[in-house]
Amino acid sequence: MSSSFRAREVCDKVYAVGAIDWELAEFHGYHTPHGTTYNAYLILADKITLIDTVKAKYTDELLARISSVIHPSRIDYIVSNHSELDHSGALPKIIEAVQPEAVYASPKGVQALERHFHDDLKLNAVKDGDKLSLGNMELTFQLTSMVHWPDSMFSFLDHGKVLFSNDAFGMHVASSKLWADEHDPGHVAAELKNYYANILWLTSRAVQKVFKGMDKAEIEPSIILPDHGPGWRNNLEKPLGLYKDWSEGKKDPNKAVILFDTMWGSTALMARVIADGLIEGGMDVQVLPLAKTERAKVALECLDASLLIVGSPTLNGGLFPTIADVLTYISGLNPGKPRIKGAVFGSYGWSGSVYKKLVAQLDDMGVDVIDDPQTTQYVPNSDDLDGIREYALNLVKQMRENG
Ligand code: FEO
């Protein structure tokens, strides 16, 4: 077995044995400029237990890290908290190498792993609240369906009160630092939010259920070890509180997002004037030109915005393709729970009929468009721009009046 990779002790009797993916740039349609980690954890209890594995390409690295602590054949149990391949890709080969006494997953995890690997992995299904004795320690399983997939679950270790939370509380950040508190706090908060917006926003109701489940099972962690990015060992109120706020749909009443694209500069000019009007009205504005803004950034900024303003030029009588693309992506994240306010604008050439359709599309997404579309044929003149500024000030007024 290669000794090129070593495990790192995370906390008492728990070792990080996963992989750092410095190269990852894209994770199901979500831009990941900071890479990620696929965390797996080895618990040195009487019954030695491995929590999760890694992407298949890092199988040998996982085995090498385990081997730096114990011979892999000494592992008694493997727990698969989630069947998605970034955590289970190495599972069949690890089972083959380890020959564990038992492998545990949620009931849906058992089904999903069978559907992925089409092999009899001799998996054992655990129910919500089931406990597994590790001899001198104990694991409690909490089913966390839809955080992120139907099969997702948490495992809670009584020794040190360590919550292995899989995707939850994670972030796509590759780093040599094991703990969130070793990072710049702003970077960590932004990446936690980025991950939530792009991976878990859609399943916010399930996140809320997880909190209820933790209360019911009296799971009060001192340490949270997710499967992506750094762990949390103090000030847990921060990630827990942010997840509560986001899952409950808490918005910043003062925050507006303007997303737009432009063909010959007219829609861009309108966006600038609208932004200026909103700023004069006292709003915090994020302007996102889609020519240089990743979809993931749009999701991140929309997560807590109260006002979403969409500007598109017309192309062949329809929406500009980048606008259609980002709306498809955002609508998949279920942004309109609770419903937010919105507006529509743009420059057209031959016909402005697309803006009515855009209003309907936003309505379907849970965005109430609170004024008529603000449109200009070809290039706005100074009177048009004055009108656009008034339009923006009126949006602020309506936001204030309607709370
Ligand atoms: Fe990190 Fe849903 O997998």
Side-chain angles (χ1 to χ4, degrees), residues 179-206:
W179 298 104
D181 58 51
E182 297 175 307
H183 289 255
D184 171 72
H187 177 57
V188 159
E191 288 307 318
L192 186 75
K193 185 176 179 184
N194 202 15
Y195 188 92
Y196 189 93
N198 286 281
I199 305 283
L200 296 177
W201 189 3
L202 169 66
T203 61
S204 285
R205 283 185 65 184

Side-chain angles (χ1 to χ4, degrees), residues 351-371:
S351 156
S353 61
V354 74
Y355 298 104
K356 234 174 155 176
K357 291 182 198 156
L358 180 54
V359 169
Q361 190 173 350
L362 289 178
D363 186 58
D364 281 349
M365 285 170 55
V367 179
D368 295 322
V369 174
I370 56 177
D371 208 339

